[in-house]
Amino acid sequence: PPPVAPPPPGPVDLVALAREGKLKEVVDLLNQGVRPDPPTFFELVASCSDPKHLDELKKIYEFFFRSPFRADLQINNKLLEMFSKCGSMADARRVFDRMPDRTMDSWHLMIDGYAANNLGDDGLQMFEQMRKVGVCPNARTFLSVLAACASAEAVEEGFIHFDAMYKDYGITPQIEHYIGMIEVLGKSGHLNEAVEFIEKLPFEPPVAVWEAFMNLARAQGDIDLEDRAGELMVFMDPSKSIASKIPTPPAKRRSGLNMLDGRNKLGEYRVPPKIEKKVVKEQVYVPDTRYVLHDIDQEAKEQALLYHSERLAIAYGLISTPARTPLRIIKNLRICGDCHNAIKIMSRIVGRELIVRDNKRFHHFKDGKCSCGDYW
Amino acid sequence: AAYAFGSMLSAGVDPNNVTLVALLSACADFPSNPSALPLGCAIHAQSLKRRRPDAAPEEVVVFSTALVDMYAKCGRAGIAGEVFDRMPVKNRVSFNTMIAGYMRAGDVDHALSWFNRMPTKDKVSWTVVIDGCVKNGLLEEALDCFRAMQLNRVDADYVTILAVIAACTSLGALNHGLWVHRYVKNQGLSSNVRLANSLIDMYSRCGRVDFAHQLFERMCKRTLVSWNSIVVGFAVNGWCHEAIEHFKMMRSEGFEPDAVSFTGVLTACSHAGFVHEGLKFYDLMRKHHKLPPRVEHYGCLVDLLSRAGRLEEAMSTIESMPFRPNEVVLSSLLAACRVHGDIQLAERVTAYLLQLEPECDSNYVLLSNIYAADGRWDGVGEIRSKMKAIGVTKTPGCSSIEIGCEIHEFVAGDGSHPQSDDIYEMLDLLRYELKLWGHDPKIIVGATDE
Amino acid sequence: SFATPEEAAAERRRRKRRLRIEPPLSSLRQQQKPPSSSAPPRSPRTAPNPNAPKIPEPISALAGSRLNLHNRILTLIRENDLDEAALLVRHSIYSNCRPTVFTANAVLHALLRQSRYADLLSLHRFITQANVAPTVITVNLLLQTYCDCRKTDIALEHFRLLLKDDAPFPPSPTTYRILAKGLVDNGKLDQALELKDDMLAKAFVPPDSIVYNHLMQGFVKKGDPDKVVSLYEELLEKLGSGKILDGIVYGNLMKGYFGKGMEKGAMEIYRDVLGEGSKVRFGARSYNLVLDALGRNGKLEEAIDLFDRMLKEHDPPRRITVNLGTFNVMVDAYCLAGRFPDAITVFRKMGEQKCIPDTLSYNSLIEHLGNNKLVPEAEELYKEMGERGINPDEYTYVLLVESCFGVDRVDDATGYFQKMVELGLRPNATAYNKVIGGLVNVVRLDEAKKFFDQMLEKEVKPNVTSYELLLKGFINSGRLDDGLKTLKDLLLDDGVTLSQEIKELVEEALRKEGREEEMGILYEDVEREKAERLAREAEEKARAEALAKEEEERKKREAAEKEAAAARASAA
């Protein structure tokens, strides 16, 4: 009997495949002419949540765009969301531009997408465009705008939009907006200014504010502010305390705290510290150009030494492996004296063991010394 | 065997296939015997003369394969190839034989092309190719082949693995080596002493003598080679005390040290500058073990003396050698001359060296550098004109590093690596830091409330 | 020229964005790479200019393994292992996990709070060389370091880079505050004013009350109350909101009014901003400034009231209105009113609020007590310092020496001085003069001379006062020969000049003894010795120069020979 052709896969199969992450198969089936219905399209788009699915998402979009329901708002919005999750705002923008209708969500998704992809500038431009076409921003819009300001490190504009919110649009800022503003300041490195902003809040700052600020201080590496915020956070919500937290060592520099700065007469009675020049004479590296054949000029000689193959191999090894792991290099000729000297010092500078096997012996370089005892 | 064959023919006995094949493999097994090749040819001629149309194809295959093997092993890869080409039917054995033949002749391209045309490949085929690649210096290709072999789900035997380990050893490919070690364990080959020995060698040649030692400690049975491997391993990595220690342990366990063992322990002594111990071991070798010193022992001895600055003694050792010194021996003395700035001796040594190997560039460079270091520019000029006259060129230096399971090779000034920009940026930073080193001006700090 | 502030701000942001998209040429590497490995050695590379403007990485770069590194480094910082933290940052540059600028900032911040300036600058130099683009925090830390080290000029140089058109980010209010304070602390009020005007002109940040307060403080210290008040009025006008709600300015404003003799005005401000229903925000710092203004201007009762109020409001961690400075100010206020037991009581109360006094706090109280002959109380505090692990400094000892001399405990005074020297502290000539002067006063001249000699031994240069104290002592007690010896030393020291007054004093003494002519002889001796010394020095200098010249010529000759020989060698 003639082989029975398998029934064409239905939408259910597509969705199942997509949920398993088999998006390539989905695209193959679409290529074979399978036509999904809108809910299926929605599901397919929603499964492309990772940058590695970008190609598939693009293809799915092309099929969608050629389908009769290409104007479907929900699916289009989902596309905006997923393209930005996949890290391609250019594609998101294309979808956006081709959308016949847009909702507030569409605008928000775009601005949020730009913010999340470090393109806050474009996000702010989007906001400008939004106002130009006459869409009136709402409270949610300003969250996106503040996220874009944070991403673009645009402090000035952050304040301008924050103020405009109430002044021009009559929207009373909510906790989220204040936190958004703290993020704008914190991400731009304006930590002290963020603290002042919190202190000026018209209400008692809730835990969420301190928590957000603590995370910013931590990321920006200010342990004092991190501690202060952490203390307040735990004070308000003891469940957030970390038992194993190491107490911060006391600071030696306490200027501005004791009110007596102007009365410190120590300088009047003390010999100024000597100009301290710490010279590590034990190892001086001067390129030893004797190791290059003598028919090139001095600079070229240094260059020639600098780009000896073992150094290239070491440099590549450094950028390819974690800090402090040893590197093993194999060289076909005997290592030259200059490289030997240089690698000795390098082993100390980079904090690694560098093991070079040349055609004669092994050299284990560590802490500025070589196992061969400088005989090569 | 040749004689027996002659009398057989003269007796009019028609030699059958089995006899001929036996004879051919006899020829193949003794390629250095001067009568092997002529006899093989004779058999070939005989067989052509007496070609029997009714011969069973299997017999023909077996016979031709033996012919191919004979020609290949006697160094006539071309004729072997012709015979092979004319074979109407080829089986796996004949393929394997032919590939091995080409590999032996260094004709890797032909070998690989036949290998690729093989309909089915068995363990032997893979082994022949991998081993051939290793022997012909195509180490990375060997590892690639091994990987392909795994993908084709062909199990390797210890012969294959020995070849693979040899490749890792030469490449310094530690990660591959570790992988192979795991493979050995999984295949239940851990107790194979030869494998363990070559793994010890691999680890120590990859700079992980600690792993080598671990493996050595875990071996239930050790041979002289095992001991030698670990002693040499310690020695070349500069673990001199451990090398000497293990040499002593080996003797106390009743192993009679051989030339290699002494090479190891002498290398250790020269590495660490133990002149006194080194000379004692040298005496022990000659007097107690009655081993005639080989060139590498002289090498160690000269190195040992040179490093200690006893250049004249080193020179007289060279002069007292019963055979001509090799390049290694002389260049270690030459290098010592450079360190100690002894130009006269350097010139004497170089005279020797240039006689010995006029094409070796590194000696010229070394001498030229010795002259240059001393400001003897006339000498430099002389060397350079000599180099030009003979047509010596510098071998390009080449370094490799294994990252993950990939080997990356670099030559000086290389810009071909995909991450070249990052590499050079790193070199820029290193250059800057190197120049700073030793001259790190700590910035002046004014009066503060410290 | 922009229609709205929003447009102006957007334009500044866009400029930064352009920098991100098209980095300026100076930051691009100019180099050609050989197409293949067979090409000749690479042409010399021009190292990238590490100071070329670069956009810092966004904070989202702090993810994955780079975030793990950040956390690892933060742990090291909390363990106070800053050496390891700095080393790990360096080593991570040489790896597949480069530290972010945020991680580098964390270490720089930790080094700053431990006053490890040299290490901070060294790490900063390294990350700059390694092309880690700085953020505004990095720059602020650097500026703070230079200001702490009194190198305000270098700080200003770095600051100006932020004002350039292609700067990757503008300064933050904190940047201006650090600089303003640094300039004021170093007495550079003009530059501080310039900075403030610049801040107003550039509009990166709104007029900042903290910056203004630093300036006001500077003028309070300088004794220019009019300027203090006019700065306040300027700020009020710039903010244009009718009232400054940041309490930080009011303490110094009150001092301004007090300075102008307008006590009533000062107290009106006080009642206004701290009165019922006032919207002005006060934290510990602003309170302390007001408290200080009261205490220094005879308003102790008001100060005590305010202090009580501050203690009542203090509700850590939520609200912090009392800190170390508060106690220092109160101690000052009690002392100024002569109420020393109360001062000591307040000082001891510090611990109740978890405030730990520092050396400065102790010095301040010891100074007050010493000046009022309460030496046992001062010594009690000194002992306490030792027990609490707070290290006395040169000033502490100078205060003790002065106090003991003040109550005729000469042996104890010299004992304290000796103790300081033994501890390895480095008193300068002014400090030595305290002990020398004290001993001269009680006519223990040989001991005074011993300290003078010790100063020379320790390679501390005496100043003119040191000589004069000793000289006067000898003359006044009739030890004319010792006096002349000292005078000769003074004249031979090129660093000091003899004053007319002292000259006359010596001449007078000589006249009395009828040894007028000795003055002339002394001068002649001095002239001769000076001339001899000069000749000797000139000779040595000439010899050294000749040697250097010879060496240089030899080197030149050798280089030329080498060159020629090398050329011959290459030609061969």
Side-chain angles (χ1 to χ4, degrees), chain A residues 252-255 264 266-267 270 272-285 287-288 290-295 302-304 306-321 326-334 337 341-343 345-346 348-350 355 357-358 360-364 371-376, chain B residues 169-172 174 204-208 236-239 270-271 303 306-307 327-328 331-333 335-336 338-339 365-366 368-369 372-373 377 380 384 387 394-403 408 410-414 417 419 422-424 426-428 430-431 433-435 437-450:
Chain A
K252 214 171 154 190
R253 178 187 186 281
R254 312 200 319 167
S255 118
N264 189 359
L266 180 57
R270 166 195 259 182
K274 273 205 180 138
I275 295 168
E276 173 201 7
K277 251 190 197 159
K278 200 181 140 208
V279 177
V280 196
K281 270 282 177 234
E282 78 188 273
Q283 261 178 329
V284 182
Y285 175 73
D288 190 348
R290 290 174 309 186
Y291 293 97
V292 195
L293 283 179
H294 289 268
D295 51 3
E302 281 186 27
Q303 292 293 326
L306 191 62
Y307 301 133
H308 269 179
S309 63
E310 49 269 56
R311 301 200 193 190
L312 291 169
I314 289 175
Y316 179 64
L318 291 175
I319 59 172
S320 312
T321 55
L327 294 181
R328 296 186 170 69
I329 316 288
I330 310 276
K331 170 149 204 200
N332 65 338
L333 301 177
R334 195 187 303 186
N341 264 344
I343 297 172
I345 302 171
M346 268 184 213
R348 180 175 286 180
I349 293 176
V350 304
I355 300 158
R357 184 179 102 190
D358 67 7
K360 192 152 157 67
R361 68 176 86 229
F362 271 91
H363 302 269
H364 288 246
S371 63
C372 79
D374 285 350
Y375 188 88
W376 62 92
Chain B
T169 309
S170 305
L171 278 172
L174 180 64
S204 51
R205 298 278 292 156
C206 288
R208 288 310 298 257
V236 293
N237 278 284
W239 294 36
S270 86
H271 216 310
D303 197 29
S306 316
R307 293 194 64 175
E327 181 260 350
V328 181
S331 30
S332 50
L333 181 52
R338 176 170 151 37
V339 173
V365 176
L366 202 53
S368 146
N369 284 339
W377 299 96
V380 177
R384 293 199 55 71
M387 284 174 77
K394 205 174 173 327
T395 330
C398 167
S399 299
S400 61
I401 183 166
E402 185 192 35
I403 300 293
H408 298 256
F410 297 90
V411 294
D414 202 334
H417 195 276
Q419 273 168 275
D422 297 332
I423 292 173
Y424 281 96
M426 180 54 80
L427 280 179
D428 277 343
L430 278 173
R431 173 179 59 174
E433 293 297 313
L434 276 173
K435 286 205 168 161
W437 191 258
H439 194 71
D440 187 35
K442 289 253 174 179
I443 301 189
I444 311 143
V445 177
T448 52
D449 52 355
E450 277 173 89

Side-chain angles (χ1 to χ4, degrees), chain B residues 377 380-381 385 388 411 413-415 421 424-426 428-433 436 442-443 445-448 450, chain C residues 29 33-34 37 42 45 47-48 93-94 115 119 121 125-126 129-131 148-150 562 565-566 569-570 572:
Chain B
W377 299 96
V380 177
S385 50
K388 275 187 191 157
V411 294
D414 202 334
D421 273 352
Y424 281 96
E425 193 178 317
M426 180 54 80
D428 277 343
L429 177 64
L430 278 173
R431 173 179 59 174
Y432 192 85
E433 293 297 313
L436 262 190
K442 289 253 174 179
I443 301 189
V445 177
T448 52
E450 277 173 89
Chain C
R29 177 128 355 122
K33 248 168 254 147
S37 54
R42 301 167 69 88
R45 294 155 53 84
I93 290 280
Y94 304 110
S115 299
D119 292 324
L121 292 173
R125 182 209 55 77
F126 177 76
Q129 195 63 44
N131 263 328
D148 281 6
C149 296
R150 299 170 186 272
K562 258 190 201 175
S570 311

Side-chain angles (χ1 to χ4, degrees), chain B residues 23-245:
Chain B
L23 272 167
L24 282 174
S25 54
C27 296
D29 285 347
F30 299 99
S32 52
N33 189 321
S35 57
L37 185 59
L39 179 61
C41 290
I43 295 169
H44 191 185
Q46 281 284 332
S47 72
L48 290 176
K49 234 186 283 172
R50 296 163 189 245
R51 186 193 301 254
R52 288 172 308 170
D54 58 326
E58 305 85 60
E59 280 180 33
V60 178
V61 172
V62 173
F63 177 74
S64 309
T65 305
L67 261 181
V68 169
D69 190 35
M70 183 278 294
Y71 278 120
K73 285 196 177 142
C74 291
R76 294 287 191 279
I79 305 177
E82 271 171 45
V83 174
F84 184 70
D85 288 346
R86 280 196 220 123
M87 281 170 72
V89 187
K90 303 170 173 103
N91 67 7
R92 270 209 303 262
V93 180
S94 40
F95 266 105
N96 291 346
T97 312
M98 191 59 238
I99 294 166
Y102 278 124
M103 282 296 188
R104 188 184 307 270
D107 189 350
V108 183
D109 288 344
H110 267 103
L112 286 180
S113 79
W114 279 116
F115 177 71
N116 289 335
R117 269 185 268 169
M118 264 180 94
T120 50
K121 297 156 183 147
D122 63 2
K123 194 187 289 185
V124 180
S125 333
W126 287 101
T127 307
V128 164
V129 166
I130 293 171
D131 190 50
C133 284
V134 173
K135 296 231 162 81
N136 285 293
L138 296 170
L139 307 169
E140 285 159 64
E141 285 78 354
L143 294 183
D144 285 345
C145 273
F146 185 57
R147 216 171 291 141
M149 183 177 176
Q150 301 304 307
L151 287 177
N152 281 294
R153 297 183 193 284
V154 180
D155 277 339
D157 64 7
Y158 84 95
V159 185
T160 330
I161 299 173
L162 278 178
V164 174
I165 296 176
C168 296
T169 309
S170 305
L171 278 172
L174 180 64
N175 288 339
H176 277 95
L178 283 165
W179 189 88
V180 173
H181 191 172
R182 226 170 10 248
Y183 183 81
V184 166
K185 276 187 200 155
N186 291 344
Q187 297 286 311
L189 294 168
S190 298
S191 57
N192 185 313
V193 181
R194 283 185 65 188
L195 279 176
N197 291 346
S198 60
L199 281 170
I200 291 178
D201 189 40
M202 183 274 295
Y203 280 131
S204 51
R205 298 278 292 156
C206 288
R208 288 310 298 257
V209 66
D210 48 339
F211 285 180
H213 187 217
Q214 243 174 45
L215 179 60
F216 177 80
E217 288 288 308
R218 290 207 193 123
M219 283 172 82
C220 356
K221 193 173 154 275
R222 303 184 185 107
T223 61
L224 180 62
V225 180
S226 327
W227 283 100
N228 285 348
S229 302
I230 195 73
V231 170
V232 171
F234 279 132
V236 293
N237 278 284
W239 294 36
C240 309
H241 290 289
E242 287 81 354
I244 295 170
E245 197 83 342

Side-chain angles (χ1 to χ4, degrees), chain B residues 274-326:
Chain B
F274 298 157
V275 184
H276 184 66
E277 286 88 339
L279 292 173
K280 248 176 35 195
F281 282 122
Y282 184 70
D283 271 355
L284 182 75
M285 174 174 78
R286 281 198 322 180
K287 302 213 172 109
H288 189 268
H289 291 276
K290 305 273 183 277
L291 287 169
R294 290 201 266 178
V295 70
E296 56 267 27
H297 300 125
Y298 279 107
C300 293
L301 197 62
V302 170
D303 197 29
L304 188 64
L305 291 167
S306 316
R307 293 194 64 175
R310 290 154 75 165
L311 300 184
E312 279 305 329
E313 277 172 75
M315 189 65 198
S316 56
T317 308
I318 291 177
E319 281 163 349
S320 73
M321 282 168 70
F323 37 80
R324 284 176 57 163
N326 69 1

